[in-house]
Amino acid sequence: MSFGPNPWEQAHWDARAAGNFIGGGAGSGLIVAAVAAGASGNLRTVALALAMGLIGGGLLCVWAEIGRPWRAINVLFNPRTSWMSREAALAPLVLGSAALGLAGVRGAAWIAALAALGFLYCQARILHAARGIPAWREPLTVPLIVMSGIVEGVGLYAALAVGLGRPSAALCLGLAALLALRSGIAFAWRVRVARQLRAPAALRSALVASRIAGALALGVALLATLSPLSSGWVGATQLLAGVLALAGGAWFEFVLITRLAFNQGFALPHLPVRGVRHETEVAS
């Protein structure tokens, strides 16, 4: 049954919609991570360019999903009430200021970081505004999506830093702290959503993705930070922690959009029965 009083899984948003949240979240988080860490040289250039590519790729995914893509311009016309319009309005500011940051314009990267946080928040509120889907409308979905994007970006930045020969124990420690915070939010979110949603297979997939993005990545990040390993092994461990944080967070967002998107159905407290008078008619 595709509609009615029983819950059903929405089919309007598919993997392409998930791609927007994955690319936009990781790209926004990467900009924030690069600016907060004071990246310079090749690391700064690669991080900002890759972040712009991820955000742009995510927007292309959602554009390809629209049934009439050439009407996408209409999304800009309702910023007063639509979080999707606000996301679309912030995208040029994020991409433009990041491009200026790449060109060396002073202060542009900080503007890009602030705009990226706003862009990520708008994405989280888009999901929260879907009142008919319990897993999305849960209030903890907003901080979970925001924190997931930041963790994915920091994880990607940590992996890039290793690839460009700049491993850092401080970066691993910061990633571990963010992973611990995300794991706490994800645990509380799962507990609350499990009370409202009867989709055990989808919840199990979300649980596995959360553990990869949280507990497993956290353990690897702490290993890179605290263990007396050689510098080569520390770099490899940091790379693994970053990849796990990115992959696990992306998988969780994919599951959330495509497999946990069950509508709650609707309630019919009074069902009409042919030939039986309603109580109000009898009383009158």
Side-chain angles (χ1 to χ4, degrees):
M1 186 174 186
S2 60
F3 62 91
N6 297 320
W8 73 95
E9 188 174 1
Q10 67 84 28
H12 300 289
W13 286 14
D14 54 18
R16 291 167 294 184
N20 181 40
F21 289 91
I22 294 170
S28 298
L30 182 55
I31 292 176
V32 173
V35 173
S40 59
N42 290 338
L43 181 56
R44 174 189 174 93
T45 300
V46 171
L48 291 180
L50 180 57
M52 292 170 62
L54 287 170
I55 295 173
L59 293 173
L60 284 176
C61 284
V62 77
W63 177 78
E65 185 202 18
I66 300 174
R68 298 178 178 179
W70 298 114
R71 293 189 178 183
I73 191 66
N74 293 329
V75 78
L76 298 174
F77 297 155
N78 199 24
R80 188 171 59 87
T81 58
S82 170
W83 285 103
M84 192 173 291
S85 294
R86 294 163 188 164
E87 175 202 30
L90 277 173
L93 177 60
V94 176
L95 297 175
S97 53
L100 291 175
L102 278 175
V105 176
R106 184 182 297 274
W110 282 102
I111 296 175
L114 292 174
L117 285 174
F119 182 86
L120 185 54
Y121 179 74
C122 288
Q123 287 197 324
R125 290 302 299 268
I126 289 172
L127 287 179
H128 183 253
R131 297 299 185 184
I133 300 180
W136 295 2
R137 73 180 180 208
E138 163 60 40
L140 286 177
T141 298
V142 175
L144 179 57
I145 291 297
V146 172
M147 185 54 61
S148 291
I150 292 174
V151 167
E152 290 167 34
V154 174
L156 181 53
Y157 180 78
L160 289 175
V162 174
L164 294 174
R166 299 186 190 180
S168 168
L171 179 57
C172 273
L173 186 60
L175 176 59
L178 291 172
L179 285 167
L181 180 57
R182 184 203 178 278
S183 295
I185 297 173
F187 175 79
W189 177 87
R190 288 196 308 271
V191 170
R192 291 172 62 95
V193 169
R195 297 172 183 168
Q196 308 174 54
L197 185 64
R198 295 181 179 179
L203 285 171
R204 282 195 296 270
S205 297
L207 175 61
V208 173
S210 292
R211 285 176 175 171
I212 292 176
L216 183 57
L218 174 59
V220 176
L222 289 176
L223 179 64
T225 305
L226 304 176
S227 64
L229 298 174
S230 63
S231 59
W233 280 105
V234 168
T237 310
Q238 176 179 325
L239 175 63
L240 178 59
V243 170
L244 287 173
L246 174 63
W251 183 14
F252 172 79
E253 289 165 353
F254 180 83
V255 171
L256 177 64
I257 300 300
T258 62
R259 298 191 60 192
L260 279 173
F262 284 88
N263 288 279
Q264 68 179 22
F266 54 83
L268 297 174
H270 300 291
L271 296 177
V273 179
R274 182 181 294 274
V276 177
R277 299 178 66 184
H278 195 269
E279 293 177 1
T280 56
E281 296 177 340
V282 175
S284 61

